[in-house]
C-alpha cells in the first residue's frame, strides 16, 4: 500500500468536504477556531523551546557531532540577502484580502469590519514578533525556515511535542483552504443559474 497516496487522498477529501458542503463563512467558524488554536499552539511551543534551549549548545543543534563543528549562533540586525524570503513570508501572512468582502458580508455587524480587521492585524503582528524574537534570540543565524525544524527531534517527549505541533500546523493550512475558497465558490455559484 502506498501510504503517501492514501494520506494525500484522505487529506484532499477532508479539505474538499467543507468547500463543497459549507455555503457561508459562518458555517466554517469551527475551522477558523481550530486553525487559530493550532497557530497559538505552534507559537507556544516555539517560545517554550526557545526559552528552554537558550543558550543553545552543540547537543541541541540537531546536527551530527562527527561532521559538524558547532559554534554558537550569531545575530545580525539586518541581513539583506534574506530580506526577499522574509518579506514574502510576511506578505503571505497578510494575504487574506481576497476573502475580506465575503467576511464583511457574513458579519452580524458589517460596520465593525474595519475595527475587527485592525485588531486582527495587530494580533497577527504581535504573534509574529513574539515568535520571531524568541526564535531568533535562541537560534540566531542557524534559524531554519520553518522554525519548527530547529526544535528537538526524536522519540522522547520533546520530540513528540514538536511532531504533534507540526501536525497541527499542517491541519491549520488544511483548515484555511476552505475558508479561502469560500469566496471563489460563492462567486461561481452566483454565476451558475441552477444554484
Amino acid at each position: 500500500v502506498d501510504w503517501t497516496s492514501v494520506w494525500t487522498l484522505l487529506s484532499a477529501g477532508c479539505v474538499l468536504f467543507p468547500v463543497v458542503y459549507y455555503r457561508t463563512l459562518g458555517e466554517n467558524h469551527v475551522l477558523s477556531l481550530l486553525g487559530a488554536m493550532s497557530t497559538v499552539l505552534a507559537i507556544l511551543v516555539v517560545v517554550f523551546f526557545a526559552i528552554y534551549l537558550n543558550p543553545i549548545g552543540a547537543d541541541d543543534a540537531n546536527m551530527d557531532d562527527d561532521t559538524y563543528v558547532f559554534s554558537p549562533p550569531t545575530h545580525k540586525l539586518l541581513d539583506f540577502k534574506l530580506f526577499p524570503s522574509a518579506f514574502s513570508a510576511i506578505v503571505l501572512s497578510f494575504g487574506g484580502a481576497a476573502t475580506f468582502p465575503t467576511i464583511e458580508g457574513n458579519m452580524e455587524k458589517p460596520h465593525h469590519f474595519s475595527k475587527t480587521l485592525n485588531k486582527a492585524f495587530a494580533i497577527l503582528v504581535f504573534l509574529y514578533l513574539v515568535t520571531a524574537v524568541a526564535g531568533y534570540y535562541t537560534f540566531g543565524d542557524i534559524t531554519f525556515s520553518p522554525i519548527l525544524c530547529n526544535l528537538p527531534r526524536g522519540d522522547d517527549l520533546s520530540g513528540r511535542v514538536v511532531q504533534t505541533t507540526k501536525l497541527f500546523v499542517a491541519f491549520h493550512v488544511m483548515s484555511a483552504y476552505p475558508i479561502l475558497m469560500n469566496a471563489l465558490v460563492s462567486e461561481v455559484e452566483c454565476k451558475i443559474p441552477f444554484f
Side-chain angles (χ1 to χ4, degrees):
V1 174
D2 181 15
W3 287 107
T4 302
S5 298
V6 170
W7 284 111
T8 302
L9 288 173
L10 284 172
S11 299
C14 289
V15 169
L16 187 61
F17 177 76
V19 171
V20 173
Y21 183 70
Y22 296 136
R23 297 249 183 231
T24 66
L25 285 178
E27 295 170 329
N28 281 323
H29 69 281
V30 173
L31 290 177
S32 300
L33 182 62
L34 292 175
M37 288 174 21
S38 299
T39 301
V40 170
L41 172 70
I43 291 166
L44 290 175
V45 166
V46 168
V47 170
F48 171 78
F49 279 110
I51 293 168
Y52 178 72
L53 295 173
N54 193 23
I56 189 167
D59 296 335
D60 303 319
N62 293 326
M63 304 290 175
D64 184 39
D65 291 333
D66 297 335
T67 60
Y68 183 75
V69 177
F70 180 77
S71 60
T74 59
H75 299 85
K76 291 182 184 177
L77 182 60
L78 190 58
D79 189 350
F80 287 105
K81 289 185 289 184
L82 298 175
F83 182 76
S85 63
F87 182 75
S88 66
I90 292 168
V91 168
L92 180 65
S93 66
F94 291 95
T99 63
F100 291 169
T102 308
I103 293 170
E104 184 177 13
N106 285 299
M107 289 180 67
E108 277 185 33
K109 300 176 183 176
H111 58 279
H112 289 289
F113 177 73
S114 60
K115 290 179 188 175
T116 305
L117 184 64
N118 289 336
K119 288 176 187 176
F121 278 161
I123 291 169
L124 186 63
V125 168
F126 173 76
L127 294 176
Y128 264 97
L129 284 174
V130 166
T131 307
V133 169
Y136 191 70
Y137 180 74
T138 300
F139 302 111
D141 63 341
I142 60 171
T143 303
F144 293 111
S145 178
I147 195 167
L148 292 174
C149 293
N150 281 90
L151 304 183
R153 302 173 198 156
D155 291 332
D156 59 343
L157 178 62
S158 57
R160 289 184 181 177
V161 167
V162 173
Q163 288 173 349
T164 303
T165 304
K166 289 178 181 179
L167 287 173
F168 274 100
V169 169
F171 175 77
H172 170 75
V173 172
M174 289 173 55
S175 67
Y177 181 77
I179 296 167
L180 294 172
M181 288 303 296
N182 185 272
L184 174 67
V185 170
S186 298
E187 287 296 318
V188 169
E189 286 178 353
C190 288
K191 303 295 182 197
I192 298 174
F194 54 84
F195 274 104

